[in-house]
Amino acid sequence: SIELDRKGLDILIDAVEILIKESAPLFRLIIVGDGPDITLLRDLVVSKGLVPFVEFWGESERPLDIIRKSDLLVLPSRREGLPNVMLEAMSCGVCVIASSCPVGPSEVITHRESGWLVPVGDSLALAKGMRTLISDSVLREQLAQAGFSYVSTRCSAEVMTQRYDSVLRSLIGSAGIVVK
């Protein structure tokens, strides 16, 4: 969803501007999705002269195909729950850089172990993290593999089903209902 206040895509555009001014390694930012602030975001990209570096692909029926072809997923949110796109990217073996929102990314990612976390709203730190991960393919791959391992062992359908079952059984048990 392209909502600047919540998803922080303006922070991402500021980070891209920093990288371009620093002559960072070549990259292309692809923004997938649509939302109420798409026109504002497009205008921001134009006003900063970043059109050659940023593409808007709109909604996709096959977002995992796009994620799988990516080197990095950037999630600069100001607020998040548990973002599915982050878990999907990790399950595809794609490195994630995300804002350390009070909930969500920081509950899953351990900085520089299973992904990269930056302070919320900090475009300079985001640019630095992006520069590092764009330039260092070995580190990027290590973080991607650790993220994949995390999701595989803690977020698989089987694991989640067992967890839900355990929670439901404890709730039923605390209500005095016997389950056989």
Side-chain angles (χ1 to χ4, degrees):
S1 176
I2 299 186
E3 303 169 55
L4 296 182
D5 181 54
R6 185 169 65 94
K7 292 296 186 177
L9 292 169
D10 53 322
I11 297 163
L12 177 56
I13 297 305
D14 289 345
V16 168
E17 181 182 34
I18 291 166
L19 290 172
I20 298 305
K21 286 181 178 178
E22 293 177 350
S23 301
L26 292 177
F27 65 92
R28 178 174 55 151
L29 173 65
I30 298 171
I31 297 176
V32 179
D34 200 355
D37 293 334
I38 186 72
T39 302
L40 289 171
L41 189 60
R42 286 179 190 271
D43 291 347
L44 183 61
V45 168
V46 169
S47 72
K48 292 181 176 284
L50 300 175
V51 172
F53 308 100
V54 180
E55 294 182 31
F56 291 88
W57 284 17
E59 291 289 333
S60 173
E61 292 182 14
R62 301 184 56 90
L64 289 180
D65 291 344
I66 298 167
I67 290 171
R68 283 185 191 101
K69 294 177 184 175
S70 301
D71 293 316
L72 188 62
L73 178 91
V74 183
L75 193 64
S77 303
R78 289 180 172 94
R79 300 184 304 282
E80 271 299 345
L82 183 60
N84 284 334
V85 70
M86 177 185 71
L87 298 175
E88 291 165 346
M90 293 168 82
S91 73
C92 290
V94 173
C95 182
V96 175
I97 180 170
S99 297
S100 57
C101 304
V103 296
S106 60
E107 293 177 288
V108 173
I109 294 173
T110 300
H111 181 60
R112 293 189 67 113
E113 287 182 24
S114 57
W116 194 282
L117 292 172
V118 298
V120 174
D122 191 338
S123 57
L124 193 58
L126 184 59
K128 180 181 177 184
M130 290 170 65
R131 181 186 330 102
T132 300
L133 295 170
I134 290 168
S135 300
D136 189 341
S137 61
V138 172
L139 175 61
R140 186 175 64 240
E141 184 61 26
Q142 288 172 345
L143 298 180
Q145 287 305 311
F148 176 81
S149 177
Y150 178 93
V151 170
S152 297
T153 59
R154 296 188 178 175
C155 302
S156 70
E158 183 179 329
V159 169
M160 295 307 292
T161 301
Q162 290 171 357
R163 288 183 180 168
Y164 283 125
D165 184 64
S166 175
V167 168
L168 291 173
R169 286 181 184 278
S170 71
L171 292 172
I172 291 170
S174 67
I177 301 169
V178 177
V179 178
K180 295 184 180 187

